[in-house]
Amino acid sequence: AEVAVEAVRLARGAGSGQYNATPDIKVVRETSTTANIDADHANGIHVGPIAMQMAVDKAKARAHVSSPPAPRCGTHPRR
């Protein structure tokens, strides 16, 4: 029932011009770790998957960058 209510709300929003059903989604600014996306008044269902994929791709690209392992307690031989 909640899904149907949400679908009606989204349809009304698109019909009234509150949401853009055919957005022109653009990346406005981007760095190696962030992106600013202009969703052209789209609902999150349009831009969410794009933004998530960008975040995953950026994380994977940075996965090889790491700091040296921190020293652990108890790694020295006992006397």
Side-chain angles (χ1 to χ4, degrees), residues 69-79:
R72 297 183 308 193
C73 294
T75 58
H76 299 286
R78 294 182 187 254
R79 294 187 189 172

Side-chain angles (χ1 to χ4, degrees), residues 32-65:
S32 62
T33 57
T34 65
N36 183 310
I37 300 172
D38 176 356
D40 191 27
H41 299 284
N43 190 279
I45 197 137
H46 293 291
V47 73
I50 295 167
M52 182 58 70
Q53 189 59 56
M54 287 182 75
V56 168
D57 293 344
K58 288 178 179 297
K60 284 181 179 178
R62 306 259 320 155
H64 70 280
V65 178

Side-chain angles (χ1 to χ4, degrees), residues 4-30:
V5 170
E6 182 67 10
V8 169
R9 187 182 70 76
L10 292 175
R12 285 184 182 154
S16 69
Q18 184 178 2
Y19 303 118
N20 184 354
T22 57
D24 181 21
I25 298 169
K26 298 176 190 164
V27 177
V28 177
R29 263 189 323 264
E30 188 171 9

